[in-house]
Amino acid sequence: MTGPAKKRTPRQRDPERTRAQLLDAALHEFADHGFHGARVDRITRAVGCNPRLLYHYFGSKEKLYIAALEHIFADIRAQERELDLDRQEPVQAMRRLVEFTFDFFDGNPLFVKLTRNENLLEGRFIAQIAAIRTSSQPLLEAIGAIMARGQAQGVFGHRYDPLQIYVTIVALSAHHLNNGHTLSAIFGIDLLSQDWRSARRAHTVDLVMNALSRGDSSQG
Amino acid sequence: MTGPAKKRTPRQRDPERTRAQLLDAALHEFADHGFHGARVDRITRAVGCNPRLLYHYFGSKEKLYIAALEHIFADIRAQERELDLDRQEPVQAMRRLVEFTFDFFDGNPLFVKLTRNENLLEGRFIAQIAAIRTSSQPLLEAIGAIMARGQAQGVFGHRYDPLQIYVTIVALSAHHLNNGHTLSAIFGIDLLSQDWRSARRAHTVDLVMNALSRGDSSQG
DNA sequence: ATGTTAATTCATAAAATACTTACTTAGGCG
DNA sequence: CGCCTAAGTAAGTATTTTATGAATTAACAT
């Protein structure tokens, strides 16, 4: 019976929450400014805590960055696992993968931005994250399996390298997000508008399905 | 002792050369580290000149960055103009455009890197470069013309939006360069190796031509 | 209640970093 | 020759930014 002792103010003494808030703020800061442009100070101010805390929980700016990177990559793994591609017909499975991939990038600007920055750094930190490789191997195998089944059934034509196909899907899904600002400036059309992105989605699905299909099926 | 007075070291008093060296060093520095990560000090040390000179010629780090961006974008314009797409048969013209685009990105890592960083900055500076929009309009028109001719001749099928097609070409050509480090780390395969890039080239040409063609022509 | 440990704050050290002020020298031109 | 401007140098400085050392406060088991 601790009766009135229960009155703990919610913000006080909540390490997990503080840590989570710091990580979330870091995610946004690194996404918006890159590793070098990110300011530790801005992160702590966004959370409303002391700079000292950041070092208490994460040790350094680098380690915080790595934690953020790891966190965001864990997300895509989780979502990919729900896809359940093996139980569907090849054509439908492939269409579903393409749509999922497109929508994932479209709906996760943080992922897109952090990945871009990590590539600017030549992948210096992603290599330090264990279990990043193992997570995506099943995906490649799933793609290979879909293609093999499709070929056996005669609905798919020439068999491409699964990795090429996956890179193609990602490329078509994400390039306009990765390079939206320069492309928009160059062509005077907003590639990041909802309209353009919707059109891009249809185009992406179209292209991939067209590439895999036998070629004598779909022409209108 | 004015005898050896002729000993003017070649680096002295050569403004054009110094300026060009600064710009070139800046190009590499900004490409390798991004705007925020770039160090003015490193640039001047690479040239072997005094920091003051950089400000003498360019005014500020920002203006130097803009100058570098402008410089690298001037390159692609010049090369694009040589393509001469209107005089070739549609299929060949399109193939040539795809190959050129692929090879351009493949051979210009500086362009790829600077573009990536400019997108990280949300295109803050590219908008300030006049005449960047006008330069790429002819390209879109050329693509539209090729597609119209191809359709009229019956060698191309359904007509896509030229901008979608161009973004597709660029996406397939550049995504593995833009995201090579993360993709390589994830899949455990070096996407930046010469072998993989060669395979990617064939794949890119294949996909684009396949997308445009009527679909009943090429299947082996 | 009390001693221990973890969480938090304060104050600031220490290192980079973009940019300047003040000066020197080179070389074209009358 | 001697002036004048542009090119170049030497040596800062003001400011920002990462990172800590030590004091303070809350939580919790005993």
Side-chain angles (χ1 to χ4, degrees):
Chain A
M1 273 317 167
T2 47
K6 219 167 99 174
K7 149 213 256 171
R8 92 163 90 155
T9 55
R11 290 215 73 253
Q12 270 183 343
R13 214 63 173 178
D14 192 342
E16 284 183 27
R17 175 174 160 160
T18 303
R19 209 195 112 102
Q21 282 183 319
L22 276 168
L23 192 62
D24 187 65
L27 228 44
H28 284 87
E29 178 71 14
F30 286 125
D32 286 349
H33 303 280
F35 178 75
H36 292 293
R39 295 289 167 253
V40 179
D41 180 57
R42 253 191 313 240
I43 294 172
T44 56
R45 248 187 297 130
V47 175
C49 78
N50 200 283
R52 190 67 188 79
L53 266 187
L54 192 151
Y55 292 93
H56 180 60
Y57 286 115
F58 295 97
S60 71
K61 187 186 179 184
E62 277 200 8
K63 285 180 189 164
L64 176 61
Y65 174 85
I66 292 173
L69 202 63
E70 189 162 13
H71 183 79
I72 202 95
F73 267 88
D75 253 8
I76 193 174
R77 284 205 294 264
Q79 290 192 38
E80 260 172 14
R81 248 172 272 148
E82 294 173 20
L83 271 180
D84 198 29
L85 298 171
D86 291 333
R87 276 190 226 161
Q88 296 163 61
E89 287 302 299
V91 170
Q92 200 168 350
M94 190 57 73
R95 172 181 289 270
R96 186 161 173 189
L97 173 64
V98 176
E99 289 175 344
F100 162 78
T101 305
F102 190 97
D103 293 339
F104 178 84
F105 287 114
D106 197 68
N108 288 276
L110 282 185
F111 184 90
V112 172
K113 290 175 186 173
L114 282 173
T115 301
R116 170 166 49 206
N117 189 73
E118 178 60 10
N119 278 286
L120 175 74
L121 300 176
E122 298 182 326
R124 208 184 318 164
F125 297 114
I126 201 172
Q128 299 180 33
I129 301 177
I132 212 135
R133 190 170 313 179
T134 56
S135 67
S136 296
Q137 220 61 26
L139 182 66
L140 277 195
E141 285 160 19
I143 293 173
I146 294 170
M147 288 169 66
R149 277 190 293 141
Q151 201 178 16
Q153 292 180 22
V155 296
F156 286 169
H158 174 263
R159 190 171 167 199
Y160 294 106
D161 172 21
L163 180 54
Q164 289 285 353
I165 287 293
Y166 184 68
V167 172
T168 290
I169 295 172
V170 176
L172 296 175
S173 298
H175 188 84
H176 64 292
L177 301 174
N178 262 321
N179 299 82
H181 292 104
T182 50
L183 287 171
S184 296
I186 288 170
F187 292 112
I189 294 172
D190 183 8
L191 301 212
L192 300 175
S193 73
Q194 194 51 59
D195 278 0
W196 207 90
R197 281 149 67 164
S198 295
R200 185 72 189 158
R201 189 180 196 267
H203 188 79
T204 296
V205 174
D206 222 52
L207 233 71
V208 175
M209 298 316 290
N210 192 353
L212 291 177
S213 73
R214 255 214 117 69
D216 45 64
S217 54
S218 64
Q219 214 56 233
Chain B
M1 268 296 184
T2 50
K6 216 174 114 185
K7 116 197 303 191
R8 99 158 89 151
T9 55
R11 291 214 70 253
Q12 270 185 343
R13 218 63 171 177
D14 192 341
E16 284 182 28
R17 175 175 159 159
T18 303
R19 209 195 111 104
Q21 282 182 320
L22 276 168
L23 192 62
D24 187 65
L27 227 45
H28 283 87
E29 179 71 14
F30 285 124
D32 287 347
H33 304 281
F35 178 75
H36 291 294
R39 295 290 167 251
V40 179
D41 179 56
R42 256 194 308 241
I43 295 172
T44 56
R45 246 186 300 130
V47 176
C49 76
N50 199 282
R52 187 67 188 81
L53 271 187
L54 191 152
Y55 293 92
H56 180 58
Y57 286 113
F58 294 97
S60 71
K61 187 185 179 183
E62 278 201 7
K63 286 180 189 164
L64 176 62
Y65 174 84
I66 293 174
L69 202 62
E70 190 162 11
H71 183 78
I72 202 96
F73 267 88
D75 254 8
I76 193 174
R77 284 204 295 262
Q79 290 192 39
E80 259 172 14
R81 248 172 272 148
E82 294 173 20
L83 271 181
D84 199 28
L85 298 171
D86 291 332
R87 275 191 225 159
Q88 295 163 63
E89 286 303 300
V91 171
Q92 201 168 350
M94 190 57 74
R95 173 181 287 271
R96 185 160 174 192
L97 173 63
V98 176
E99 289 175 343
F100 162 79
T101 305
F102 189 96
D103 292 340
F104 178 84
F105 288 112
D106 197 67
N108 287 276
L110 282 184
F111 184 90
V112 172
K113 291 176 186 173
L114 282 173
T115 300
R116 169 167 49 206
N117 190 72
E118 178 61 11
N119 278 287
L120 176 73
L121 300 176
E122 297 183 326
R124 208 186 316 164
F125 297 114
I126 201 172
Q128 299 180 32
I129 300 178
I132 211 137
R133 191 170 313 181
T134 57
S135 67
S136 295
Q137 220 61 26
L139 182 66
L140 278 194
E141 286 160 19
I143 294 173
I146 294 171
M147 288 170 66
R149 277 189 293 140
Q151 201 178 17
Q153 292 180 20
V155 295
F156 286 168
H158 175 264
R159 190 171 167 199
Y160 294 107
D161 172 21
L163 181 54
Q164 289 285 355
I165 288 293
Y166 183 67
V167 172
T168 289
I169 295 172
V170 177
L172 296 175
S173 299
H175 188 83
H176 64 292
L177 300 175
N178 262 322
N179 300 82
H181 292 103
T182 51
L183 287 171
S184 296
I186 287 170
F187 292 112
I189 294 172
D190 183 9
L191 301 211
L192 300 174
S193 72
Q194 194 51 58
D195 278 359
W196 207 90
R197 280 148 69 165
S198 295
R200 184 73 189 156
R201 189 182 196 264
H203 189 79
T204 297
V205 174
D206 221 52
L207 234 72
V208 175
M209 299 315 291
N210 191 354
L212 292 176
S213 74
R214 256 215 117 69
D216 45 64
S217 54
S218 64
Q219 216 53 238

